[in-house]
Amino acid sequence: MLRDMFKKTPRWAASSAQELVPSPEIPTGMWRKCNKCSAPIYTDDVINNQYICPKCGGYFRVHARRRVEITADENSFEEWDDSLCGKNPLNFPGYEEKLSRMHAKTNLEEAVITGKARIDGYETVLGIMDARFLMGSMGQAVGEKITRAFERATKEKLPVILFCCSGGARMQEGIVSLMQMAKTSAAIKKHSEAGLLYVTVLTDPTTGGVTASFAMLGDVILAEPGALIGFAGPRVIEQTIGQKLPDGFQRAEFLQEHGFVDKVVPRKEMRSTLAAILALHAGTAPHKGSETEEAKEREAILELAEEEIRMQGRREAYSDLSSAKKAKNLSPWERVQISRKSSRPTGLDYIEGLFVDFIEFHGDRFYKDDKAIVGGIAWFGGRPVTVIAQQKGRSTKDNIFRNFGMPSPDGYRKALRLMKQAEKFGRPIICFVDTPGAFCGMEAEERGQGEAIARNLLEMSALKVPVLSIVIGEGGSGGALAMAVGNEVWMLENSIYSILSPEGFASILWKDSKRANEAAKVMRITAAELKELGIIDRIISEAEEAGKETLPDICDEMRKQILKFMKRYTAMSGEELAEQRYMRFRNM
């Protein structure tokens, strides 16, 4: 089938280093030269390798129907609106003839195909753009097909996955093409308000009016490696500013680094990634079933434990008493030093130890992907959850990469974006807090550090899903509180939570940072002291200091307690959750 498609294609397209279209007069299987690495390659090898050069790994564009074949379950695609084709609203000379040539060349009526399909058994609406048809430009018919797809998806309560590949608006249709940007966006808004998932996959190229409308409106935005993504094309930018653009500018990796793409996914992993995202949003465990069985086992263990506690008349006996006693054995300053140890497990360690199939999402959709905050979705106890962690490094190099666990405004905005996404899909939120404080630098102030923290406090207070925050190391000032407005806040036994560091406290009040030891005593920053003050709700015991060897035991205890938290709070309505959280802080 694919070779037949190739034979209808008139020639090699030389416009892009990422496009492979063999000539019809030369049999398939002949040697070709990759127009990216210049290595000789067999066309058949490229086809069998999902349009990826077997020599350099460079990506070629994929025909729409071939994309269906490598993405959807076999024979599951049901095409919609297949007879809908472009018109000539401006009576543009020669446009109708050009559309006819495109139809003959591609065997497509328009630059997008839409329909319903299954991916690993999960039903979804699927839209795929094809660059062969007038560079995938968006005219009235493209906008109409996409809008109809969203409207039908909303009616049938289905998610939408849209593979974007476009040069932007279609010039021959002028202002009519421009209006499709608003039309498709409005349909997406209705779909979103129905609580439904929308995933975009940005492929090479995704530019212009498509980027400035439906391509960048996904709940989750994925991209293929190296894909060109931007509003204005690089040639236009260079001509406008009179400068040569740097390597990698407007490529998928650039977009992820700057906060606009959740994840760059290799083509061979795209299908499995989409299936995992669909599974998490469907709320049904992956087909492998391991997490479901594990969740049932955990629930059974939990119920037995609760019954035993009820019979003994001491439901909370094992939660905090031993920790309260142990708290007397170490000074507050010793706890501070332990909380800062580089050997202490980080947020990612707890994510790996507690959750199944974690998918990290990147970026704040405004400016940057802050590496000091890690967030995404995963399975816990048989249900999908959103997990967000403040992340320190272990080595000096890693700490520099993670900015020593000090989030920027972009990090807090990323965290809030994921929290609002969790609220939309009804997922509980689990936050791991571990920061000496929010980053205090010139660029942080320029981008609104205070506003970002304040916005998190405001929005978290009213989230209509359960929120659990666990301080696993340092809980420094407003930088920690911005992820700790939870229905419950827990602390590991050797963690701290404070208005600022003891050194800073001593420096401000006594003008002598060397009195940090003394400050730690009067600040009441240890878990036991904060439990007594009613600031936190639970202490997770550390029989030994948290580290690589003790992490499994800590995770086991934490897992039991989180299951109890879930059981209690998922039974509450959204309004009850928000009110409980409000009163928790109102009474402090």
XYZ file of all heavy atoms in Angstrom, residues 399-458:
469
model
N 23.309 19.780 40.861
C 22.694 20.876 41.622
C 22.617 22.157 40.797
O 21.641 22.903 40.895
C 23.475 21.128 42.918
C 22.826 20.459 44.116
O 21.610 20.520 44.275
N 23.632 19.833 44.946
N 23.624 22.396 39.993
C 23.582 23.566 39.115
C 22.447 23.400 38.105
O 21.689 24.339 37.837
C 24.939 23.763 38.409
C 26.005 24.171 39.435
C 24.828 24.805 37.298
C 27.415 24.197 38.885
N 22.319 22.189 37.562
C 21.240 21.907 36.614
C 19.871 22.117 37.262
O 18.940 22.632 36.636
C 21.383 20.465 36.114
C 20.316 20.026 35.150
C 20.302 20.505 33.849
C 19.334 19.123 35.542
C 19.322 20.097 32.956
C 18.355 18.706 34.655
C 18.346 19.195 33.358
N 19.746 21.716 38.527
C 18.483 21.838 39.261
C 18.377 23.145 40.038
O 17.419 23.339 40.800
C 18.343 20.670 40.239
C 18.325 19.292 39.590
C 17.053 19.029 38.859
N 17.047 17.691 38.245
C 16.077 17.242 37.461
N 15.038 18.001 37.187
N 16.147 16.032 36.945
N 19.337 24.028 39.865
C 19.376 25.307 40.590
C 19.281 25.097 42.095
O 18.632 25.850 42.813
C 18.260 26.251 40.116
C 18.559 27.707 40.434
O 19.715 28.129 40.429
N 17.528 28.480 40.741
N 19.933 24.028 42.583
C 19.986 23.705 44.004
C 18.587 23.562 44.618
O 18.391 23.793 45.809
C 20.812 24.742 44.769
C 22.262 24.749 44.378
C 22.697 25.472 43.271
C 23.189 23.995 45.079
C 24.037 25.455 42.883
C 24.530 23.974 44.703
C 24.958 24.703 43.598
N 17.641 23.165 43.785
C 16.279 22.969 44.288
C 15.531 24.253 44.580
O 14.483 24.217 45.232
N 16.017 25.372 44.058
C 15.344 26.655 44.289
C 14.527 27.027 43.053
O 15.089 27.414 42.026
C 16.371 27.743 44.599
C 17.143 27.508 45.885
S 18.267 28.871 46.298
C 19.491 28.696 45.002
N 13.207 26.908 43.106
C 12.390 27.161 41.920
C 12.357 28.631 41.514
O 12.405 29.537 42.353
C 10.991 26.689 42.335
C 11.221 25.797 43.524
C 12.412 26.376 44.217
N 12.243 28.846 40.230
C 12.023 30.168 39.658
C 10.517 30.378 39.500
O 9.731 29.457 39.722
C 12.712 30.254 38.298
O 12.092 29.344 37.391
N 10.093 31.566 39.104
C 8.662 31.762 38.834
C 8.122 30.760 37.821
O 6.980 30.303 37.935
C 8.599 33.191 38.281
C 9.811 33.870 38.809
C 10.858 32.808 38.904
N 8.951 30.392 36.859
C 8.527 29.448 35.830
C 8.221 28.074 36.427
O 7.327 27.368 35.972
C 9.625 29.330 34.768
C 10.325 30.656 34.543
O 9.667 31.591 34.074
O 11.518 30.765 34.881
N 8.972 27.708 37.459
C 8.725 26.435 38.124
C 7.394 26.421 38.846
O 6.644 25.430 38.787
N 7.090 27.504 39.547
C 5.809 27.564 40.253
C 4.646 27.616 39.266
O 3.586 27.040 39.516
C 5.786 28.771 41.183
C 6.740 28.602 42.343
C 7.849 29.433 42.492
C 6.557 27.581 43.268
C 8.741 29.246 43.534
C 7.444 27.394 44.312
C 8.541 28.224 44.445
O 9.428 28.033 45.473
N 4.858 28.269 38.131
C 3.791 28.303 37.119
C 3.626 26.935 36.459
O 2.511 26.551 36.112
C 4.102 29.397 36.090
C 3.934 30.798 36.690
C 4.339 31.917 35.768
N 4.170 33.199 36.465
C 5.063 34.186 36.487
N 6.205 34.059 35.827
N 4.818 35.305 37.156
N 4.721 26.204 36.289
C 4.602 24.832 35.791
C 3.810 23.990 36.774
O 2.911 23.233 36.379
C 5.987 24.214 35.565
C 5.938 22.724 35.236
C 7.249 22.179 34.690
C 8.341 22.100 35.709
N 9.531 21.364 35.187
N 4.146 24.095 38.068
C 3.435 23.328 39.082
C 1.945 23.662 39.079
O 1.095 22.767 39.132
C 4.036 23.606 40.461
N 1.625 24.936 38.986
C 0.216 25.336 38.995
C -0.497 24.858 37.734
O -1.658 24.427 37.798
C 0.103 26.861 39.126
C -1.327 27.403 39.204
C -2.076 26.790 40.381
C -1.321 28.929 39.316
N 0.172 24.902 36.599
C -0.437 24.395 35.358
C -0.814 22.929 35.520
O -1.921 22.513 35.136
C 0.541 24.557 34.195
C 0.039 23.987 32.879
C 1.006 24.232 31.743
N 2.162 23.370 31.750
C 2.195 22.146 31.226
N 1.100 21.627 30.692
N 3.305 21.429 31.245
N 0.075 22.146 36.109
C -0.206 20.727 36.299
C -1.300 20.508 37.339
O -2.094 19.569 37.224
C 1.083 19.996 36.701
C 2.179 19.979 35.628
C 3.447 19.328 36.171
C 1.714 19.264 34.377
N -1.356 21.379 38.346
C -2.421 21.264 39.341
C -3.790 21.566 38.730
O -4.773 20.872 39.002
C -2.148 22.212 40.514
C -0.974 21.818 41.376
S -0.730 23.016 42.715
C 0.940 22.632 43.223
N -3.851 22.593 37.909
C -5.130 22.930 37.261
C -5.530 21.833 36.273
O -6.720 21.538 36.103
C -5.024 24.279 36.557
C -4.741 25.465 37.482
C -5.839 25.664 38.522
C -7.110 26.217 37.914
N -8.124 26.522 38.956
N -4.554 21.240 35.626
C -4.841 20.112 34.745
C -5.392 18.942 35.558
O -6.346 18.271 35.141
C -3.560 19.703 34.014
C -3.750 18.617 32.972
C -2.419 18.163 32.401
O -1.816 17.205 32.891
N -1.947 18.861 31.368
N -4.801 18.701 36.724
C -5.293 17.634 37.602
C -6.727 17.911 38.029
O -7.560 16.994 38.084
C -4.384 17.504 38.826
N -7.031 19.156 38.327
C -8.395 19.515 38.727
C -9.371 19.248 37.583
O -10.471 18.722 37.801
C -8.445 20.981 39.140
C -9.809 21.423 39.635
C -9.809 22.881 40.074
O -9.214 23.723 39.357
O -10.399 23.184 41.118
N -8.985 19.579 36.376
C -9.858 19.355 35.224
C -10.210 17.880 35.083
O -11.361 17.529 34.783
C -9.167 19.853 33.948
C -9.913 19.482 32.665
C -9.189 19.956 31.415
C -9.884 19.440 30.157
N -9.221 19.917 28.912
N -9.235 16.998 35.309
C -9.452 15.576 35.090
C -9.738 14.799 36.378
O -9.803 13.569 36.357
C -8.243 14.974 34.365
C -8.049 15.534 32.986
C -6.954 16.330 32.691
C -8.977 15.291 31.986
C -6.763 16.861 31.421
C -8.805 15.816 30.714
C -7.701 16.605 30.427
N -9.894 15.517 37.488
C -10.282 14.866 38.733
C -9.198 14.010 39.358
O -9.494 13.024 40.044
N -7.920 14.369 39.159
C -6.817 13.577 39.716
C -6.346 14.146 41.043
O -6.126 15.360 41.152
C -5.620 13.570 38.752
C -5.819 12.798 37.480
C -4.493 12.591 36.771
N -3.897 13.828 36.323
C -3.995 14.318 35.086
N -4.696 13.664 34.182
N -3.404 15.441 34.754
N -6.162 13.313 42.065
C -5.507 13.790 43.300
C -4.106 14.304 42.992
O -3.459 13.856 42.036
C -5.460 12.540 44.178
C -6.534 11.649 43.636
C -6.573 11.908 42.154
N -3.633 15.217 43.816
C -2.321 15.840 43.634
C -1.447 15.510 44.829
O -1.862 15.672 45.978
C -2.448 17.373 43.501
C -3.328 17.743 42.297
C -1.075 18.027 43.393
C -3.766 19.196 42.296
N -0.239 15.050 44.559
C 0.731 14.762 45.611
C 1.983 15.579 45.334
O 2.587 15.467 44.261
C 1.070 13.269 45.676
C -0.207 12.456 45.928
C 2.093 12.997 46.773
C -0.020 10.970 45.802
N 2.356 16.417 46.304
C 3.516 17.299 46.155
C 4.610 16.893 47.138
O 4.329 16.627 48.308
C 3.129 18.756 46.427
S 1.913 19.445 45.291
N 5.837 16.874 46.652
C 6.989 16.641 47.513
C 7.768 17.950 47.628
O 8.210 18.507 46.625
C 7.868 15.530 46.943
C 7.200 14.185 46.959
C 6.558 13.702 45.818
C 7.180 13.412 48.104
C 5.932 12.471 45.822
C 6.554 12.171 48.120
C 5.921 11.701 46.988
N 7.918 18.404 48.864
C 8.518 19.714 49.127
C 9.944 19.517 49.624
O 10.177 18.794 50.594
C 7.690 20.490 50.172
C 8.346 21.828 50.498
C 6.268 20.694 49.670
N 10.887 20.172 48.957
C 12.294 20.082 49.369
C 13.061 21.222 48.728
O 13.626 21.082 47.645
C 12.875 18.730 48.956
C 14.284 18.514 49.498
O 14.706 19.275 50.391
O 14.960 17.564 49.031
N 13.078 22.347 49.381
C 13.766 23.521 48.837
C 14.286 24.410 49.954
O 13.609 24.590 50.970
C 12.830 24.341 47.929
O 13.542 25.485 47.419
C 11.602 24.834 48.672
N 15.489 24.972 49.800
C 15.941 25.972 50.772
C 15.153 27.268 50.664
O 15.192 28.110 51.558
C 17.414 26.179 50.410
C 17.527 25.731 48.982
C 16.500 24.650 48.798
N 14.416 27.430 49.557
C 13.609 28.627 49.336
C 13.501 28.932 47.857
O 14.216 28.365 47.032
N 12.599 29.814 47.524
C 12.458 30.235 46.126
C 13.717 30.965 45.680
O 14.375 31.652 46.469
C 11.243 31.142 45.980
N 14.065 30.813 44.421
C 15.261 31.447 43.879
C 15.141 32.964 43.970
O 14.134 33.550 43.571
C 15.466 31.024 42.424
C 16.666 31.642 41.777
C 17.928 31.486 42.332
C 16.545 32.386 40.616
C 19.047 32.057 41.736
C 17.645 32.964 40.008
C 18.906 32.800 40.573
N 16.181 33.590 44.515
C 16.180 35.055 44.601
C 17.297 35.597 43.725
O 18.441 35.694 44.129
C 16.338 35.524 46.050
S 17.774 34.867 46.911
N 16.943 35.896 42.499
C 17.882 36.455 41.545
C 17.207 37.537 40.737
O 15.981 37.699 40.787
N 17.985 38.278 39.996
C 17.437 39.387 39.231
C 16.390 38.905 38.232
O 15.313 39.486 38.103
C 18.566 40.121 38.508
C 18.107 41.389 37.785
S 19.490 42.357 37.163
C 20.057 41.290 35.831
N 16.703 37.778 37.541
C 15.762 37.287 36.542
C 14.473 36.778 37.177
O 13.390 36.866 36.576
C 16.406 36.195 35.685
C 16.903 34.993 36.453
C 18.352 35.100 36.894
O 18.777 36.195 37.288
O 19.051 34.068 36.826
N 14.576 36.252 38.409
C 13.367 35.792 39.101
C 12.452 36.969 39.414
O 11.222 36.872 39.284
C 13.746 35.063 40.388
N 13.042 38.068 39.802
C 12.237 39.265 40.080
C 11.651 39.845 38.796
O 10.507 40.305 38.761
C 13.083 40.319 40.808
C 13.554 39.895 42.193
C 12.396 39.566 43.127
O 11.368 40.281 43.103
O 12.511 38.581 43.879
N 12.441 39.796 37.724
C 11.950 40.306 36.437
C 10.729 39.531 35.950
O 9.840 40.106 35.314
C 13.061 40.222 35.391
C 14.185 41.230 35.585
C 15.332 41.016 34.612
O 15.421 39.933 34.010
O 16.145 41.955 34.451
N 10.691 38.234 36.254
C 9.593 37.399 35.782
C 8.502 37.208 36.831
O 7.582 36.424 36.617
C 10.123 36.051 35.291
C 11.089 36.206 34.113
C 11.233 34.933 33.323
N 11.782 33.828 34.084
C 13.086 33.615 34.278
N 13.972 34.461 33.775
N 13.493 32.578 34.968
N 8.619 37.891 37.974
C 7.515 37.931 38.931
C 7.495 36.801 39.931
O 6.489 36.095 40.052
N 8.581 36.646 40.683
C 8.632 35.578 41.677
C 7.518 35.703 42.716
O 6.833 34.731 43.033
C 10.010 35.570 42.378
C 10.231 34.429 43.354
C 10.399 33.096 42.681
O 9.423 32.513 42.180
N 11.624 32.591 42.632
N 7.333 36.911 43.226
C 6.290 37.118 44.236
C 4.906 36.800 43.701
O 4.082 36.154 44.371
N 4.622 37.251 42.489
C 3.305 36.990 41.897
C 3.089 35.502 41.691
O 1.987 34.967 41.926
C 3.183 37.723 40.557
C 1.777 37.723 39.956
C 1.417 36.450 39.210
O 2.341 35.728 38.775
O 0.200 36.175 39.055
N 4.126 34.786 41.245
C 3.997 33.357 40.977
C 3.683 32.579 42.247
O 2.818 31.693 42.262
C 5.276 32.830 40.329
N 4.372 32.913 43.342
C 4.098 32.241 44.619
C 2.698 32.584 45.107
O 1.930 31.711 45.524
C 5.162 32.629 45.666
C 6.522 32.046 45.262
C 4.759 32.152 47.056
C 7.671 32.515 46.118
N 2.348 33.862 45.049
C 1.020 34.292 45.502
C -0.084 33.607 44.696
O -1.116 33.194 45.246
C 0.891 35.815 45.380
N 0.120 33.475 43.389
C -0.885 32.839 42.536
C -1.081 31.376 42.927
O -2.203 30.874 42.955
C -0.452 32.942 41.077
C -1.449 32.405 40.068
C -2.722 33.210 40.024
N -2.451 34.632 39.818
C -3.378 35.587 39.877
N -4.636 35.270 40.145
N -3.054 36.847 39.682
N 0.023 30.680 43.260
C -0.105 29.296 43.701
C -0.924 29.192 44.990
O -1.789 28.324 45.126
C 1.276 28.671 43.908
C 1.854 28.117 42.621
O 1.581 28.620 41.535
N 2.676 27.088 42.739
N -0.635 30.068 45.952
C -1.383 30.047 47.213
C -2.868 30.266 46.958
O -3.731 29.578 47.532
C -0.851 31.119 48.168
C 0.643 31.082 48.506
C 0.977 32.189 49.504
C 1.049 29.727 49.066
N -3.174 31.216 46.102
C -4.562 31.550 45.791
C -5.276 30.371 45.138
O -6.360 29.955 45.571
C -4.599 32.765 44.862
C -5.978 33.222 44.387
C -6.665 34.025 45.477
C -5.870 34.044 43.116
